[in-house]
Amino acid sequence: MATRSRIGLQLADGNILSVYHHWDGYPEWLGVTLNKKFNTRDKVAELIDGGDMSSCDSNDDWDRKELGETAPLYYNDRGDNTEPRLDLNFDDYVNNANACEEYVYVFTSNHTWECYQISHKYDDDYNIVDTNVIPATIPEPQLEEAVA
């Protein structure tokens, strides 16, 4: 089962440019991966420029062929037409989160990643009537054990 999320880049004017991320969106994987591999504005901008994605760090392509290295697995690479979404501020960013997104990430103007857990309340027709946003901690990456 997927843990869906959004990855956003805060722009100088406070707008947030973001994309959907399908797999492993919880802080222990996606948060750690973003901190480790996408830790500059240029790297984040390049990641988001590719559009919505299945995973930001995949070993396989859409035909399950091994890539030999890890790379983002963009929906555009399989023929979808996905573009980054622009929200005018943080409130719009979290309030426009789809009902399926459980976490949102923002690379801030201070060059740090922030993570928030999202939950929604729904009316009888399953329309979102309230969004709860809770800051979540991105853990420090675990040191890799030396191979004997």
Side-chain angles (χ1 to χ4, degrees):
M1 188 160 165
T3 304
R4 299 168 188 98
S5 58
R6 286 200 79 76
I7 301 171
L9 174 63
Q10 185 178 41
L11 306 177
D13 59 5
N15 292 351
I16 297 177
L17 190 64
S18 69
V19 293
Y20 172 76
H21 185 275
H22 188 73
W23 290 106
D24 298 329
Y26 49 90
E28 293 80 7
W29 189 84
L30 182 56
V32 170
T33 301
L34 292 172
N35 266 333
K36 190 174 179 182
K37 294 191 169 195
F38 303 97
N39 50 20
T40 67
R41 291 191 71 73
D42 288 343
K43 289 178 183 178
V44 176
E46 183 178 345
L47 175 67
I48 288 174
D49 192 47
D52 294 348
M53 65 192 82
S54 177
S55 176
C56 69
D57 197 37
S58 179
N59 293 322
D60 302 324
D61 67 11
W62 286 108
D63 295 322
R64 297 279 190 202
K65 293 180 186 167
E66 231 178 270
L67 296 172
E69 62 183 358
T70 60
L73 190 57
Y74 294 111
Y75 292 133
N76 290 338
D77 292 342
R78 68 176 187 190
D80 294 2
N81 185 18
T82 66
E83 299 297 326
R85 185 182 84 196
L86 183 65
D87 292 300
L88 299 180
N89 53 49
F90 181 78
D91 287 343
D92 286 349
Y93 178 55
V94 296
N95 288 322
N96 289 334
N98 294 327
C100 65
E101 294 163 356
E102 300 169 68
Y103 293 94
V104 295
Y105 294 85
V106 180
F107 192 78
T108 69
S109 56
N110 294 329
H111 307 282
T112 59
W113 281 107
E114 293 180 356
C115 177
Y116 301 88
Q117 187 173 12
I118 304 292
S119 62
H120 302 288
K121 291 184 182 176
Y122 304 92
D123 64 15
D124 292 339
D125 295 322
Y126 206 65
N127 297 306
I128 297 172
V129 295
D130 190 30
T131 301
N132 191 22
V133 180
I134 303 167
T137 300
I138 299 172
E140 292 295 321
Q142 299 295 316
L143 296 175
E144 296 181 44
E145 295 181 7
V147 178

